[in-house]
Amino acid sequence: SGINAEWSLRPGAGSVTEDKLLVSVVNCTTNQQIEDLVGKKVPVMRTLPNTPVKVRSGVVVAYPGTHCTPKHTSLCKSLMEPLGLWSILPTEALIDVASGLCGSSPAFMFMMVDAMADAGVRMGLPRQVAASLAAQTMQGSAKMVLECDEHPLQLANNVCSPGGTTIEGVYRLNRAGFKGIVMDAVIGSIEKTQGKEMRYNY
């Protein structure tokens, strides 16, 4: 938050110089807020990495501040690209959207892996085997989305034989409102990042 950024930056603001690039990973804090805290024409690059950067398979979205040049953007890219997918967003406001989509969603993926593993255990697989199979299936499926020139839904359809086992599972997911539940979780995370009031209907 902006409060955390002020707590972190205020003591060292005097040592920040205009010939250095300041890379921010603080969520919910704009480039302008950081520029105001520093009080100089320091190039600031606001970034948002997600937790899978720990294994160099993450996402880092970014937006340059007022005093950033293409050279600064290139420098930041060289620093962040080894961590996973690097993307400069069209507007800074979209970082809040990416926060919900990419920053929060690893938790949803972990929950999906856990649910799949539980199903495997329920049906007789050892837990470690079930968890490994579920995680590798998710990783491989994500790789297909990134590398195959097909819509994700078409990739799903390709697995569904008429009257088969997969379409039965897809039917049950759709009956439970799977897509709406996932969209609602992501949108809720985005709106929380944007500071919107949370309303809960149970």
Side-chain angles (χ1 to χ4, degrees):
S1 70
I3 294 174
N4 289 332
E6 184 169 3
W7 180 83
S8 301
L9 278 172
R10 186 69 73 185
S15 63
V16 177
T17 57
E18 296 178 7
D19 62 334
K20 299 292 190 296
L21 173 63
L22 181 57
V23 179
S24 168
V25 294
V26 183
N27 198 18
C28 304
T29 304
T30 66
N31 284 323
Q32 184 64 60
Q33 287 174 309
I34 294 174
E35 289 165 0
D36 290 346
L37 280 171
V38 173
K40 303 171 186 175
K41 293 182 179 180
V42 172
V44 178
M45 180 71 72
R46 181 181 175 188
T47 69
L48 178 75
N50 66 1
T51 54
V53 299
K54 292 180 179 180
V55 292
R56 295 179 179 265
S57 293
V59 170
V60 183
V61 296
Y63 192 79
T66 308
H67 308 296
C68 271
T69 66
K71 184 178 179 180
H72 294 125
T73 300
S74 179
L75 173 60
C76 192
K77 179 181 179 181
S78 70
L79 294 171
M80 297 295 188
E81 204 167 34
L83 301 178
L85 178 66
W86 159 266
S87 180
I88 293 284
L89 298 180
T91 68
E92 187 174 3
L94 290 176
I95 289 187
D96 289 343
V97 178
S99 175
L101 178 62
C102 308
S104 300
S105 61
F108 312 152
M109 303 299 173
F110 300 146
M111 292 171 69
M112 180 72 173
V113 169
D114 180 64
M116 292 169 64
D118 273 355
V121 172
R122 170 70 175 79
M123 302 307 291
L125 281 172
R127 177 161 297 280
Q128 186 173 0
V129 173
S132 295
L133 293 175
Q136 181 60 41
T137 299
M138 179 169 285
Q139 183 182 43
S141 301
K143 190 172 183 180
M144 287 184 70
V145 172
L146 292 171
E147 297 183 4
C148 297
D149 191 23
E150 290 186 273
H151 191 279
L153 199 55
Q154 183 57 51
L155 292 172
N157 290 340
N158 294 344
V159 191
C160 295
S161 304
T165 57
T166 304
I167 193 62
E168 177 65 26
V170 168
Y171 160 68
R172 295 188 185 204
L173 285 173
N174 285 337
R175 187 174 63 179
F178 177 73
K179 186 170 185 176
I181 291 169
V182 173
M183 289 181 65
D184 196 41
V186 173
I187 291 169
S189 296
I190 293 168
E191 290 180 339
K192 183 77 171 181
T193 302
Q194 293 173 333
K196 294 183 180 179
E197 181 182 355
M198 296 292 100
R199 301 185 181 215
Y200 308 101
N201 298 313
Y202 297 109

